[in-house]
Amino acid sequence: TVLVIGACGQLGSELTLELRNMYGGSNVVAADISAPKQADLRDSGPFEKVDVLDTNVLAELASKYKFKQIYHLAAVLSATGERNPKFAWKLNMEGLFNVLDLSLEHKVQKVYWPSSIAVFGPNTPRQNTPQYTVMDPNTVYGISKQAGERWCEYYFQKYGLDVRSLRYPGLIGYKALPGGGTTDYAVDIYHKALESGTYECFLSEDTYLPMMYMPDALKATLDLMHAPAEQVKIRDSYNLSAMSFSPKEITESIQKFIPDFSITYKPDYRQQIADSWPQSIDDSTAQQDWGWKPAYDLDAMTEDMLLNLKKMKEEQTLA
Ligand code: VAH
């Protein structure tokens, strides 16, 4: 059995559906602080209400289901984290410790934990950021991801726990709304392009950020988890990359499909967060170690996003 903690989140909901397709619905337990709203997620397999800070519930579930793999995706993201720094640190770090210790105790074979480009900071080289480099994150989220990476490597080296991790760029998908990320403008913009034809962007027009379409993120995650352990040489977290673009460039991409789409700019506190992150990532180590290769570029993502969002909105109006 596989456990997905944070299964109702932007990544968790899509990863849970993918894992259920792969392993069978009843073999993938979705866990989150509240029940799934999405019908496909709700109806495709078991759900357990879990607060990742509650070690008793986690232990009960581990005894009940005898998990072979755990995907721990529950966290407070960058923008929300700056609003509640102490809680973000508590949930992100204690949650990780609870899962690492639970996995050791219950002999979980493989653990997945997401890191982020947020582990990099203002003094990190911003172009083609290398796998090993200066990391001075200045968001609580980034600090918790940097510390989390160190602990994942520690549990691997000291206790032999097979925990694997990827430094995701901004993730863009159509199935679930994101929650509190700085890169989430790149999801909102597609919804607004279809709903109102215009979007007020909270980042400035030339803010370049590393980004990835959800199908590529799912592929990378499963490719990493299915790679033989000896190929997984990086045990803090792999740099991962697909593309980089700015609000100006994603607007131009959308205008190829919706010519009269327009954008205005009103940068807010999230601009400082974005400015502390790299503009492009060198993921050659992931390419070498386990054959990473993305499939989607900006226009391919735009076409697929608009197509699927349109279909979903039509279904919702019909429902
Ligand atoms: C965030 N979407 O914005 C997340 C991600 C690289 C960004 O970590 O916080």
Side-chain angles (χ1 to χ4, degrees):
T1 319
V2 177
L3 172 65
V4 181
I5 304 172
C8 298
Q10 182 199 16
L11 171 63
S13 55
E14 300 223 33
L15 199 53
T16 302
L17 291 169
E18 194 76 12
L19 288 165
R20 284 178 172 167
N21 289 338
M22 195 172 287
Y23 297 130
S26 58
N27 297 320
V28 181
V29 177
D32 212 314
I33 194 83
S34 51
K37 295 182 184 56
Q38 272 175 257
D40 51 359
L41 184 60
R42 189 189 56 220
D43 305 338
S44 57
F47 173 80
E48 294 283 355
K49 189 174 179 327
V50 166
D51 175 347
V52 74
L53 298 178
D54 183 340
T55 49
N56 297 329
V57 168
L58 287 171
E60 276 161 32
L61 290 181
S63 305
K64 176 179 172 185
Y65 290 100
K66 310 222 178 322
F67 300 118
K68 285 203 172 21
Q69 293 184 37
I70 297 182
Y71 289 74
H72 173 36
L73 310 177
V76 175
L77 296 186
S78 59
T80 312
E82 292 310 290
R83 294 263 187 268
N84 317 278
K86 288 293 185 341
F87 175 68
W89 176 258
K90 179 178 172 63
L91 183 107
N92 292 4
M93 293 318 295
E94 278 183 37
L96 176 59
F97 282 125
N98 291 346
V99 170
L100 292 174
D101 290 333
L102 180 85
S103 300
L104 277 186
E105 213 171 303
H106 292 265
K107 301 193 177 9
V108 172
Q109 289 170 1
K110 279 186 239 180
V111 178
Y112 181 75
W113 177 77
S115 184
S116 159
I117 58 165
V119 290
F120 300 116
N123 292 297
T124 305
R126 296 191 76 193
Q127 308 301 336
N128 291 320
T129 303
Q131 179 68 44
Y132 291 104
T133 184
V134 169
M135 300 163 83
D136 56 343
N138 60 8
T139 61
V140 172
Y141 171 73
I143 296 165
S144 75
K145 288 301 182 184
Q146 183 181 34
E149 288 189 6
R150 307 299 352 119
W151 278 107
C152 287
E153 187 175 72
Y154 189 91
Y155 271 69
F156 173 73
Q157 288 174 344
K158 290 285 182 306
Y159 311 124
L161 183 64
D162 187 351
V163 47
R164 307 182 183 192
S165 178
L166 295 169
R167 290 170 182 160
Y168 289 127
L171 300 185
I172 297 160
Y174 57 84
K175 284 195 185 149
L177 283 175
T182 300
T183 57
D184 295 340
Y185 87 87
V187 178
D188 300 344
I189 194 167
Y190 288 113
H191 288 268
K192 295 292 187 303
L194 289 170
E195 285 158 13
S196 61
T198 185
Y199 178 60
E200 182 179 90
C201 186
F202 56 73
L203 297 180
S204 61
E205 71 171 350
D206 292 322
T207 306
Y208 273 86
L209 285 168
M211 296 281 195
M212 180 175 285
Y213 193 31
M214 190 59 78
D216 273 336
L218 298 176
K219 181 174 181 334
T221 309
L222 295 170
D223 284 359
L224 174 66
M225 288 300 273
H226 293 147
E230 58 278 2
Q231 279 179 4
V232 183
K233 300 193 179 61
I234 299 287
R235 290 293 179 161
D236 47 4
S237 188
Y238 276 96
N239 278 10
L240 190 73
S241 163
M243 52 181 145
S244 294
F245 56 76
S246 63
K248 184 160 177 281
E249 289 180 337
I250 190 172
T251 296
E252 287 159 358
S253 178
I254 292 172
Q255 286 167 338
K256 291 177 187 167
F257 302 88
I258 307 177
D260 52 4
F261 170 65
S262 66
I263 186 166
T264 56
Y265 297 97
K266 195 171 175 227
D268 67 12
Y269 74 100
R270 288 167 284 194
Q271 185 65 49
Q272 285 69 39
I273 297 174
D275 290 342
S276 75
W277 290 349
Q279 294 184 321
S280 61
I281 299 286
D282 171 1
D283 62 358
S284 48
T285 309
Q287 294 170 32
Q288 287 149 22
D289 288 4
W290 42 275
W292 166 239
K293 192 172 172 348
Y296 286 85
D297 64 11
L298 177 53
D299 286 343
M301 173 172 75
T302 297
E303 184 171 21
D304 201 62
M305 276 293 281
L306 292 176
L307 191 77
N308 282 288
L309 281 176
K310 220 176 280 176
K311 233 182 341 184
M312 278 170 69
K313 290 178 192 317
E314 277 150 16
E315 279 154 19
Q316 274 154 9
T317 41
L318 289 177

